[in-house]
Amino acid sequence: MANRKGVFIGAYVPNHLKESLRRRAAAEHRTLSQEITRILEEAVHGRGLPPGSLDRRTKESQPRRRATDPMPRRRAQDEPYGTGNDRG
C-alpha cells in the first residue's frame, strides 16, 4: 500500500455521481482521489489559477500597479475623455 499523507474521509456518494467524477478525473488525467481533493480545495479555499499558471506574488507583495497609481492615471499628452472625432 502506498504511503499516503492525508486522512481518509468516508462518505456515501451515489453511483451516478461517482461515475461522473471518475469520467471527469480520467478526462483530466487524474485519479479519482486527486479529482475529489481538487474539488474540496476549491470549495474551501476558492477557485485557484488555471492549470499551468504561476502566481509569483507573495502575501507580502504590494497590490498591482493600478491600485497604487497616483491620480490622474492618464498621461499628460492624452486627449481628455470624450473629445476628438465624435461621429453621430
Side-chain angles (χ1 to χ4, degrees):
M1 183 171 194
N3 185 12
R4 297 171 196 249
K5 295 180 181 178
V7 176
F8 176 80
I9 298 175
Y12 171 76
V13 178
N15 282 337
H16 71 277
L17 185 55
K18 181 180 176 185
E19 281 305 308
S20 296
L21 285 170
R22 189 192 58 73
R23 283 192 300 272
R24 189 164 147 184
E28 299 290 329
H29 304 288
R30 295 187 184 110
T31 64
L32 182 58
S33 182
Q34 289 170 331
E35 183 67 11
I36 292 170
T37 300
R38 184 192 64 77
I39 291 169
L40 288 171
E41 282 181 0
E42 275 187 13
V44 173
H45 300 296
R47 195 164 196 97
L49 293 172
S53 295
L54 296 175
D55 188 6
R56 292 184 176 89
R57 293 181 294 158
T58 62
K59 292 185 189 311
E60 296 83 34
S61 64
Q62 292 181 339
R64 293 183 181 257
R65 180 177 164 262
R66 191 72 173 167
T68 59
D69 274 353
M71 292 299 281
R73 290 191 173 122
R74 296 177 65 80
R75 294 180 298 257
Q77 66 271 20
D78 286 348
E79 291 185 31
Y81 180 77
T83 62
N85 297 334
D86 291 332
R87 296 178 188 164

